Amino acid sequence: MGATVRQVLHVGCGPATLESMPSFFHSGEWEEVRLDIDMTVAPDVVGTILDMGIIANGSVDAVFSSHNIEHVYPHEVGQALQEFRRVLHDDGLAVVRCPDIQSVAQVVGEGRLMDVLYVSPAGPISAIDIMYGHRAAIQGGNLFMSHKTAFTADTLAKHLKDAGFEMVIVARDRIFGLHAIAYCRQVDELVAERDCALCFPALEGILGVVRY
């Protein structure tokens, strides 16, 4: 009998594929369900992170969301994360990535707002891009790429806990990013350590990991 296939809802997938997701999801036991507002990227489901009503309650094993949550207004963050929690079954988890405004603020405080901080597949990234959205994408007409809110490790964890996740682990990387694993239920230390090793980006290096 084959292994049970688990579903990961790839929220705001864009053109990315399963291979671009954390190695946690790379084994054959995971099936990707792609959700995006943009029909041109051929998602399985067309929707937004504020209303994923087409996805049934408790129907997926994991949610992966990379650089989406900063595109909603501050008062909408709870609604979006509650949607993540709603579609997960009670043993599920969410993996969320977003900019780390604390690290960006340090750079801005040094007067380096426009300095190139690193080069992404989309091109050079400066502090102003991390704060407000990638200028080239927005200039090209992709207005939903604008950033409307921001998070520190502590505030991201609080939002996730307020949305109903019982255990949250957040890592800060060296390229101004936050990486969170949010569990619907408490898990033991060995499981958490394994998941961190598979979800957090070792290549970029980790500045710190905090369990909430």
Side-chain angles (χ1 to χ4, degrees):
M1 193 174 206
T4 301
V5 175
R6 297 191 287 171
Q7 285 193 327
V8 51
L9 181 64
H10 190 172
V11 174
C13 58
T17 62
L18 186 66
E19 290 70 28
S20 68
M21 297 165 67
S23 56
F24 183 88
F25 298 111
H26 289 186
S27 71
E29 68 181 291
W30 287 101
E31 176 187 34
E32 179 189 23
V33 179
R34 294 163 49 80
L35 181 147
D36 203 282
I37 193 174
D38 183 359
M39 289 187 290
T40 67
V41 300
D44 300 303
V45 180
V46 177
T48 75
I49 64 173
L50 294 174
D51 182 6
M52 301 191 299
I54 195 168
I55 307 295
N57 294 355
S59 62
V60 298
D61 300 278
V63 169
F64 176 67
S65 171
S66 182
H67 292 270
N68 300 298
I69 196 67
E70 67 269 25
H71 298 296
V72 302
Y73 289 107
H75 68 278
E76 297 173 322
V77 171
Q79 179 182 344
L81 296 180
Q82 286 165 19
E83 278 289 89
F84 290 4
R85 177 62 185 87
R86 179 187 65 78
V87 301
L88 287 165
H89 64 61
D90 287 339
D91 290 320
L93 76 159
V95 178
V96 178
R97 294 175 175 172
C98 67
D100 175 14
I101 200 64
Q102 184 173 344
S103 297
V104 177
Q106 182 176 347
V107 170
V108 174
E110 296 168 355
R112 299 166 54 205
L113 179 67
M114 306 300 290
D115 290 4
V116 174
L117 303 178
Y118 65 94
V119 178
S120 78
I125 301 295
S126 301
I128 194 169
D129 297 303
I130 303 173
M131 292 173 65
Y132 298 111
H134 190 226
R135 287 167 292 164
I138 296 169
Q139 184 177 4
N142 204 349
L143 298 182
F144 54 78
M145 292 296 289
S146 299
H147 293 181
K148 298 172 182 174
T149 192
F151 304 89
T152 67
D154 289 345
T155 62
L156 178 59
K158 184 179 187 307
H159 281 299
L160 286 162
K161 298 275 274 193
D162 289 348
F165 292 93
E166 290 191 10
M167 177 179 168
V168 178
I169 302 172
V170 182
R172 301 173 66 210
D173 69 25
R174 297 183 184 277
I175 56 170
F176 309 95
L178 295 175
H179 306 256
I181 307 174
Y183 298 94
C184 297
R185 291 180 175 172
Q186 294 285 334
V187 300
D188 65 37
E189 290 296 331
L190 289 178
V191 170
E193 288 178 9
R194 177 205 66 193
D195 294 349
C196 287
L198 292 172
C199 287
F200 294 158
L203 290 179
E204 286 95 7
I206 293 296
L207 294 175
V209 179
V210 179
R211 175 172 169 171
Y212 297 85

